[in-house]
């Protein structure tokens, strides 16, 4: 199989880079300065086992990729960019006839739980991936993936549920490429467990590392999320289940030549000044479920709104302190 990674940022770059490094056929899809750096110099992947310069083929648009019937599309853009990406790739022709939407498997390697629904409106074969993969993309052409001995844990399954031979083949390739890749029939349980942790992304993006008051806000946001999940009857993997898979297998270690890890995906969006952030599909998912099931979610609503304001105004993490953010939350 060939892997076409749509969105070669931190997650997409790490997955595509490791697959390429282990001998698999990969195409990275990127934009702007990142595309130019990848096209000119290849992907610079920094990991605890060394710095790898990988000459991975790269494209800047769907029309630049001639799709094959053995391709796997890996959607790794932020969820706010999913609709545009899905609409661009779904009608693309595949060699031998048909379109990508009809013939190719699409793997949603993203935070949140909404992209799979968006994809299933367009693609016949959708797979969900729960991404536990600390990685950083701040400089064009460079991705830092600091975990070892495994680069990340990528639970995989058919959406909305089930497991099949395609999932097992993809997982086998990932397992040969420094990843844990359990194939599970209930993959959304794992994605909801990840979402519970991802409500903290907005706090980190807004405040940066800010100590005690930031931690208190995270606890409040997660408590709201747990209450919403319970009201909605949403099951999620337990902390013990997650620890049993990951503990001792993916520890953050020093990376030679790479900066210390600063923050997660939302923090990186603000540092890069991208103008958007994924809060609508993390904290906003909690708000949506709360409104559907009659559970107040004022903390997550304030975090969603404030993170979006910071992104639109190109504000860097830390321009709002945890104390200020707490006052914003409590004013709602």
């Amino acid at each position: 199989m060939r892997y076409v990674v749509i969105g070669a940022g931190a997650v997409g770059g790490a997955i595509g880079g490791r697959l390429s490094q282990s001998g698999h056929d990969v195409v990275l899809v990127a934009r702007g300065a990142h595309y130019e750096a990848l096209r000119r110099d290849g992907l610079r992947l920094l990991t605890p086992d060394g710095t790898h310069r990988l000459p991975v083929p790269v494209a800047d648009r769907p029309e630049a990729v001639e799709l094959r019937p053995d391709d796997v599309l890996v959607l790794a853009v932020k969820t706010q960019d999913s609709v545009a990406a899905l609409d661009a790739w779904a009608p693309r022709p595949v060699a031998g006839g048909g379109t990508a939407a009809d013939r190719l498997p699409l793997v949603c390697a993203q935070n949140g739980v909404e992209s799979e629904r968006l994809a299933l409106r367009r693609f016949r074969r959708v797979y969900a991936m729960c991404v536990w993969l600390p990685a950083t993309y701040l400089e064009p052409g460079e991705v830092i993936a600091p975990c070892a001995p495994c680069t990340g844990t990528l639970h995989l399954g058919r959406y909305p549920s089930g497991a099949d031979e395609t999932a097992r083949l993809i997982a086998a390739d990932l397992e040969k490429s420094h990843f844990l890749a359990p194939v599970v029939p209930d993959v959304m349980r794992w994605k909801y467990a990840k979402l519970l942790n991802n409500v903290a992304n907005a706090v980190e993006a807004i405040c940066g590392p800010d100590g005690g008051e930031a931690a208190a806000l995270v606890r409040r946001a997660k408590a709201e999320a747990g209450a919403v999940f319970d009201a909605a009857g949403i099951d999620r993997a337990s902390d013990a289940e997650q620890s049993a898979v990951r503990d001792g297998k993916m520890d953050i270690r020093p990376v030679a030549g790479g900066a210390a890890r600063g923050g997660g995906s939302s923090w990186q969006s603000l540092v890069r000044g991208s103008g958007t952030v994924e809060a609508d599909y993390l904290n906003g998912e909690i708000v949506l479920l709360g409104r559907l099931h009659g559970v107040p979610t004022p903390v997550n609503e304030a975090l969603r709104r404030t993170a979006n304001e910071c992104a639109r105004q190109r504000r860097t993490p830390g321009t709002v302190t945890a104390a200020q953010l707490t006052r914003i939350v409590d004013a709602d």
Side-chain angles (χ1 to χ4, degrees):
M1 296 185 291
R2 181 178 69 166
Y3 293 89
V4 180
V5 181
I6 304 166
V11 168
I15 292 174
R18 282 303 207 186
L19 283 167
S20 176
Q21 187 184 24
S22 63
H24 297 288
D25 200 357
V26 175
V27 176
L28 300 178
V29 182
R31 300 180 297 181
H34 192 40
Y35 162 74
E36 294 295 342
L38 292 170
R39 182 180 62 85
R40 183 182 62 248
D41 302 319
L43 174 66
R44 186 170 183 254
L45 179 63
L46 286 76
T47 70
D49 59 12
T51 297
H52 313 281
R53 181 69 72 177
L54 305 171
V56 187
V58 62
D60 62 347
R61 61 194 186 282
E63 295 77 12
V65 182
E66 295 184 5
L67 292 176
R68 311 186 314 212
D70 64 344
D71 283 341
V72 175
L73 304 182
V74 179
L75 186 66
V77 299
K78 298 291 195 302
T79 304
Q80 65 267 27
D81 298 320
S82 285
V83 168
L86 291 165
D87 285 347
W89 285 89
R92 294 301 304 157
V94 177
T99 65
D102 290 330
R103 296 193 61 190
L104 301 184
L106 177 107
V107 179
C108 294
Q110 300 162 287
N111 286 332
V113 295
E114 181 62 19
S115 272
E116 289 82 3
R117 284 173 48 87
L118 297 171
L120 201 60
R121 297 174 190 272
R122 298 157 173 84
F123 281 78
R124 187 184 305 274
R125 300 165 61 197
V126 175
Y127 296 79
M129 178 179 282
C130 180
V131 179
W132 287 96
L133 173 51
T136 300
Y137 157 57
L138 296 177
E139 299 294 332
E142 179 180 282
V143 171
I144 303 171
C147 281
C150 294
T151 300
T153 301
L154 307 172
H155 283 82
L156 181 67
R158 191 77 184 256
Y159 181 79
S161 62
D164 60 14
E165 184 62 17
T166 297
R168 286 185 280 272
L169 289 170
I170 295 169
D173 287 349
L174 291 168
E175 293 273 4
K176 296 171 186 173
S177 306
H178 298 272
F179 292 105
L180 297 168
V183 176
V184 292
D186 52 357
V187 65
M188 297 310 291
R189 286 185 70 244
W190 296 86
K191 294 207 72 167
Y192 275 104
K194 178 76 185 308
L195 176 61
L196 186 65
N197 287 279
N198 282 146
V199 298
N201 287 25
V203 177
E204 181 184 61
I206 296 164
C207 303
D210 202 335
E213 285 192 71
L217 281 173
V218 169
R219 287 193 295 272
R220 293 170 64 184
K222 291 178 71 171
E224 281 186 359
V228 163
F229 290 166
D230 290 343
I234 293 172
D235 191 17
R236 63 270 191 194
S238 67
D239 290 342
E241 287 177 279
Q242 296 173 71
S243 294
V245 174
R246 297 196 308 269
D247 283 3
K249 302 181 184 76
M250 46 173 296
D251 301 320
I252 292 180
R253 299 180 182 176
V255 174
R261 177 171 167 79
S265 55
S266 298
W267 180 90
Q268 292 174 45
S269 291
L270 264 63
V271 170
R272 292 199 309 271
S274 65
T276 66
V277 71
E278 58 194 332
D280 284 345
Y281 299 98
L282 302 178
N283 308 91
E285 182 70 27
I286 306 308
V287 174
L288 171 62
L289 288 169
R291 289 170 178 167
L292 289 173
H293 296 280
V295 179
T297 57
V299 176
N300 280 282
E301 170 56 23
L303 294 179
R304 183 202 66 80
R305 185 180 64 246
T306 306
N308 280 319
E309 289 172 357
C310 288
R312 285 193 297 269
Q313 297 167 8
R314 303 298 202 279
R315 301 176 73 172
T316 56
T319 54
V320 177
T321 68
Q324 291 170 326
L325 183 56
T326 300
R327 289 195 289 271
I328 292 169
V329 168
D330 290 338
D332 272 25

